[in-house]
Amino acid sequence: MIARLFSGLLLLVCTAPAFAQGSQQSPSQPSTEEKPPTFEEQVVVSASRSEQVLVNAPAAVTIIGSTTLQNSPGSNMGDLLRTVPGLNVTQVSARDVNFTTRGATSTLATSQLALVDGRSIYLDFFGMVMWDLVPTNLGEIKRIEVVRGPASAVWGANAMTGVVNVITKTPRELAMAGGTSVTIGAGAFSRNVTGSSQNSGSLFYVNGSQAQAVDDRWSYKLSAGYFTQDPLPRPAGNLPNAFNTPYPAFANTGTSQPKFDARVDYDLGGGSGGRLVFAGGVAGTEGIIHSGVGPFDIDNDSRMTYFTSRYEKGARRIAFFANLLDGNAINLLARGPTGERLPLVFDTKTFDVEASDVRVIGTRHAITFGGNYRHNTFDISLAAGGDDRNEGGAYIQDEIFLDEHFRWVVGGRVDKFSSIDDAVFSPRTTFMIKPDAAQTFRISFNRAFRAPSFINNNINTTILNQVDLRAAHPLLADFVFPIRAVGNESLKPETLTAFELGYAGVVRNLNLSASVYWNNTENGIFFTPNVFYSSTNLPPTWPGVLPGFILTGLAQLNPPVLLPAQYTYLNFGEVRDKGVELGVDTALNRFVNVFANYSYQWKPVVRDLPAGTSIADVNWPASNRFNAGFDFSYSRYLGNLSVNFTDEAYWQDVLDVRYAGSTDSFTLVNAAFGVRWLNNRLTTSIKMTNLGNQEVQQHVFGDIMKRQVVGEVRVGF
């Protein structure tokens, strides 16, 4: 391959101590609770789109609470979610982070749905999430719920491997905690790596919010923030593969991310308990995003603007949102037919309306149901001829209470896309055995899907590729030839069928969990060559003095050297993943919480791939991942310490086979320590990641992370 474009009622929960702290006091207050909530005490909404006790959710869910978020040593979503079992995190630049649950991730992770208060931030035109465009300050996040496993049965398309739902605090909750807060942080990180020496890089961030409950009906919040970071160091020398390909030289960049958002709540009177919410904001970004054709440098005027309104009353929800994404970027390696660097200009708009509710029938049935309709408009320079897209779906789920020890959840969702010929059905069923309220055993079946992205269906561009063929003839040194990239409007959706066995429960104050899963992905969408240059189809740049049969000779080598003339997206193959997740956490006392979890993922098994491809054309996740640590809050002092081990992994999703290779295993030791002052209104902290200063490369083509130290001041009024 020479080029690869944009690829387009039981809970099994494994919580760190911080994951179990969703209801703890904010870090500006001393801890007075005897212990954090256990599985049967925590509440989630993402597993079934309705509020339910965590231990009874029909999916594996991890909760990350506000205490963890505010005290995390890290500076991005990847650092926050890295200790979630089964979630593979890949950071490839100062701004670019990707997640995939229970499978290999990539530079463009396409199968993980991301939400903010239920509003999708998944970018349908590329089929990915740009996490730096989430318009929320960490201090305003109530919790993050991570659904580990398929969730299309309620969330629809693109929740194929899981869901990350960021749930924010209401204006009234922020007002009760003080109303006004300011956080300022500044730090530095090492950029002295093997084969290259650079001065240390710096980062800076500032966040502020103001919230007020005007009266018993009206409340509001305003927040703004800014984050900036110098570029991370690029690796030097050659890639660790059989080709020993030199890392391409390009001007790496850092990132700047301004954000602003506002929200107004109106609590309905008359004892109805309902609420109207109006919110909007804008988030900007700049920096590197790595892709199949190499790095794109996103310009600093790129931004996402959003608006949402919703009515909530108990489990009933009626909502509307609009996401407006506008920006441009330029590729730092790939060039178009004119020799200029490949541009990317995008202007997309998403409009969505949805409704959901829960009805209890008798004493044995809890029915959850709902649906949505979405309209997308696309104006993408790489796919100028594509049409707008409409999609809609509806779901229903019944939680059947057979008796006090047995429950059965069964449901499904039907989705129809204007870009897909047939409707897609996503079923779900979970059978639960509950020896008591704090113990749950589960067996579950799910089917989920990812819809082809707009780029998958409609890309239409030409890029120039360069390859060294001097072994065939001196005139072919650094030979440049064009490759056509075209979309495929006949693509089927990717589908994932999953089985899972699990346990979650509390035994002698220990929160325990275990899970075994089997995932089978079919109709994978691959970007693959379908036309090759040959002696009868010579590249337009072929030197006229050379005979065309040289190409025939190159094709007969072992391995063969083939020059693709055209790439397109095709459905083919079957990828089977399986794994195990184990976890434990507990409160040693009311001051200290400890946790540990372990994930093992077997090497993927591939079947029915086309001739000329193999498992080397599929990313492999890290086999072993281990996380452990503790946090504490005592008197004026607070802090945490965590260790993360990630095994080696294999990558092949940037440029061509010459750039495929493995990353080494790495261990991250992260820590934070803080002191409260002025009657807990002021908190000063020092936050450190990668204390061992190890050269950590999370993708074979990505940047390198070394030790980072940040000082932070948080003030509440």
Side-chain angles (χ1 to χ4, degrees):
M1 150 188 351
I2 298 297
R4 182 176 297 275
L5 286 178
F6 301 96
S7 33
L9 292 146
L10 163 76
L11 162 77
L12 176 61
V13 56
C14 182
T15 62
F19 301 164
Q21 293 173 355
S23 63
Q24 285 188 317
Q25 294 176 327
S26 75
S28 62
Q29 300 293 331
S31 175
T32 57
E33 295 188 16
E34 292 187 1
K35 62 179 67 175
T38 55
F39 292 161
E40 73 273 21
E41 298 169 328
Q42 300 176 77
V43 174
V44 296
V45 298
S46 303
S48 294
R49 300 189 69 160
S50 63
E51 189 173 279
Q52 59 190 165
V53 177
L54 184 59
V55 75
N56 294 329
V61 181
T62 295
I63 299 177
I64 303 176
S66 60
T67 302
T68 300
L69 297 171
Q70 295 189 44
N71 291 341
S72 170
S75 57
N76 58 54
M77 290 292 290
D79 295 325
L80 296 176
L81 273 62
R82 192 175 304 280
T83 54
V84 174
L87 185 66
N88 291 301
V89 178
T90 303
Q91 182 176 359
V92 288
S93 74
R95 63 143 304 279
D96 198 8
V97 179
N98 293 279
F99 307 126
T100 301
T101 304
R102 297 177 173 178
T105 189
S106 63
T107 54
L108 294 176
T110 59
S111 61
Q112 191 85 18
L113 185 64
L115 311 163
V116 176
D117 292 326
R119 173 178 63 90
S120 174
I121 56 172
Y122 185 93
L123 303 180
D124 297 79
F125 76 103
F126 265 155
M128 65 175 190
V129 177
M130 295 174 67
W131 285 100
D132 47 318
L133 293 177
V134 176
T136 303
N137 296 327
L138 290 182
E140 297 179 41
I141 298 177
K142 188 173 185 177
R143 66 183 183 273
I144 300 176
E145 297 179 1
V146 182
V147 180
R148 309 195 322 269
S152 290
V154 291
W155 291 107
N158 312 320
M160 191 174 79
T161 57
V163 176
V164 177
N165 192 6
V166 179
I167 299 172
T168 65
K169 299 174 184 176
T170 68
R172 197 169 296 274
E173 288 172 329
L174 290 170
M176 292 178 63
T180 304
S181 66
V182 177
T183 301
I184 300 175
F189 55 91
S190 173
R191 294 195 292 186
N192 188 7
V193 300
T194 301
S196 176
S197 179
Q198 303 180 52
N199 295 329
S200 296
S202 63
L203 64 89
F204 171 80
Y205 57 87
V206 57
N207 299 304
S209 66
Q210 202 278 330
Q212 183 177 348
V214 179
D215 52 34
D216 62 346
R217 299 284 186 93
W218 292 96
S219 58
Y220 73 88
K221 69 174 180 180
L222 301 172
S223 65
Y226 180 74
F227 175 85
T228 183
Q229 180 175 334
D230 288 338
L232 297 170
R234 290 292 302 157
N238 298 335
L239 276 85
N241 61 22
F243 297 93
N244 289 316
T245 310
Y247 278 101
F250 56 85
N252 203 14
T253 63
T255 185
S256 295
Q257 302 170 16
K259 299 180 181 181
F260 172 80
D261 64 327
R263 172 173 164 175
V264 176
D265 287 11
Y266 179 74
D267 295 315
L268 301 173
S272 68
R275 178 171 60 197
L276 294 174
V277 176
F278 305 92
V282 60
T285 188
E286 68 170 333
I288 299 291
I289 179 172
H290 287 281
S291 72
V293 289
F296 278 90
D297 187 8
I298 302 174
D299 194 78
N300 60 10
D301 64 353
S302 302
R303 63 192 179 276
M304 174 184 279
T305 304
Y306 81 96
F307 173 78
T308 182
S309 61
R310 61 183 182 270
Y311 165 72
E312 302 169 337
K313 181 181 179 182
R316 184 177 304 163
R317 173 186 170 102
I318 302 173
F320 165 82
F321 75 78
N323 291 336
L324 313 176
L325 180 64
D326 183 18
N328 61 85
I330 190 167
N331 196 288
L332 300 179
L333 293 178
R335 297 180 181 272
T338 64
E340 298 294 325
R341 289 177 177 174
L342 188 68
L344 171 61
V345 181
F346 47 93
D347 182 2
T348 73
K349 298 178 176 63
T350 299
F351 305 95
D352 185 282
V353 60
E354 57 111 342
S356 60
D357 203 353
V358 177
R359 288 286 184 269
V360 176
I361 301 177
T363 60
R364 293 187 178 273
H365 298 272
I367 308 294
T368 305
F369 59 94
N372 79 296
Y373 171 79
R374 182 174 302 176
H375 176 68
N376 292 297
T377 67
F378 303 102
D379 185 2
I380 314 294
S381 61
L382 295 181
D387 296 326
D388 296 342
R389 180 174 295 183
N390 297 298
E391 59 191 79
Y395 67 92
I396 186 169
Q397 175 181 286
D398 186 6
E399 182 175 5
I400 306 169
F401 297 80
L402 301 174
D403 60 30
E404 62 178 328
H405 297 298
F406 299 97
R407 298 185 187 183
W408 182 27
V409 175
V410 59
R413 177 178 173 121
V414 176
D415 288 275
K416 182 65 178 73
F417 282 64
S418 60
S419 58
I420 302 175
D421 290 338
D422 300 321
V424 182
F425 177 54
S426 304
R428 150 195 278 182
T429 186
T430 299
F431 185 76
M432 294 174 284
I433 303 172
K434 296 183 63 63
D436 56 55
Q439 311 279 336
T440 308
F441 294 88
R442 169 184 77 180
I443 179 171
S444 65
F445 164 82
N446 279 273
R447 182 170 293 152
F449 76 102
R450 177 180 85 85
S453 71
F454 182 76
I455 288 292
N456 294 156
N457 288 142
N458 299 291
I459 189 170
N460 188 359
T461 190
T462 298
I463 62 173
L464 298 179
N465 195 32
Q466 179 175 304
V467 63
D468 189 350
L469 299 178
R470 73 183 70 194
H473 195 282
L475 287 178
L476 296 178
D478 297 326
F479 178 59
V480 176
F481 62 98
I483 300 177
R484 189 73 183 159
V486 297
N488 182 354
E489 296 183 352
S490 300
L491 286 172
K492 299 178 182 179
E494 290 186 7
T495 59
L496 185 148
T497 303
F499 297 88
E500 185 175 354
L501 300 174
Y503 165 80
V506 181
V507 178
R508 295 187 178 180
N509 296 323
L510 296 175
N511 293 334
L512 302 176
S513 66
S515 176
V516 182
Y517 62 87
W518 296 262
N519 291 346
N520 185 29
T521 304
E522 296 180 287
N523 288 324
I525 299 175
F526 288 80
F527 193 67
T528 185
N530 65 334
V531 178
F532 291 90
Y533 290 114
S534 67
S535 59
T536 58
N537 179 29
L538 292 173
T541 54
W542 188 258
V545 297
L546 296 182
F549 65 75
I550 291 179
L551 287 178
T552 304
L554 291 172
Q556 294 173 350
L557 295 176
N558 187 19
V561 177
L562 302 174
L563 302 186
Q566 178 175 286
Y567 270 73
T568 191
Y569 289 95
L570 296 175
N571 291 111
F572 56 78
E574 178 182 335
V575 179
R576 296 186 176 185
D577 294 287
K578 59 182 178 180
V580 177
E581 297 163 359
L582 305 171
V584 58
D585 73 80
T586 188
L588 295 182
N589 51 49
R590 66 191 183 100
F591 306 115
V592 181
N593 304 319
V594 298
F595 79 98
N597 61 63
Y598 172 73
S599 306
Y600 183 84
Q601 294 181 251
W602 274 266
K603 182 179 178 181
V605 175
V606 298
R607 297 185 178 184
D608 300 327
L609 293 179
T613 60
S614 68
I615 192 173
D617 295 303
V618 177
N619 285 356
W620 310 344
S623 296
N624 295 279
R625 292 181 62 246
F626 173 75
N627 303 289
F630 69 90
D631 66 15
F632 69 91
S633 178
Y634 177 76
S635 183
R636 296 169 50 206
Y637 307 103
L638 56 93
N640 61 55
L641 176 69
S642 65
V643 178
N644 163 261
F645 170 79
T646 300
D647 215 339
E648 64 178 342
Y650 173 78
W651 315 92
Q652 54 70 53
D653 58 331
V654 169
L655 298 173
D656 55 68
V657 68
R658 296 169 298 165
Y659 297 89
S662 299
T663 48
D664 294 332
S665 61
F666 60 86
T667 301
L668 293 174
V669 180
N670 305 326
F673 178 76
V675 181
R676 305 180 183 97
W677 311 84
L678 301 177
N679 196 27
N680 302 317
R681 290 185 305 229
L682 171 68
T683 302
T684 56
S685 303
I686 183 169
K687 302 184 175 187
M688 299 163 285
T689 59
N690 194 3
L691 284 173
N693 204 27
Q694 184 179 0
E695 292 188 10
V696 174
Q697 192 176 16
Q698 298 175 28
H699 188 286
V700 72
F701 201 81
D703 294 348
I704 294 176
M705 272 62 71
K706 296 198 68 178
R707 181 167 50 223
Q708 176 179 292
V709 180
V710 176
E712 181 183 277
V713 176
R714 188 163 62 239
V715 184
F717 302 95

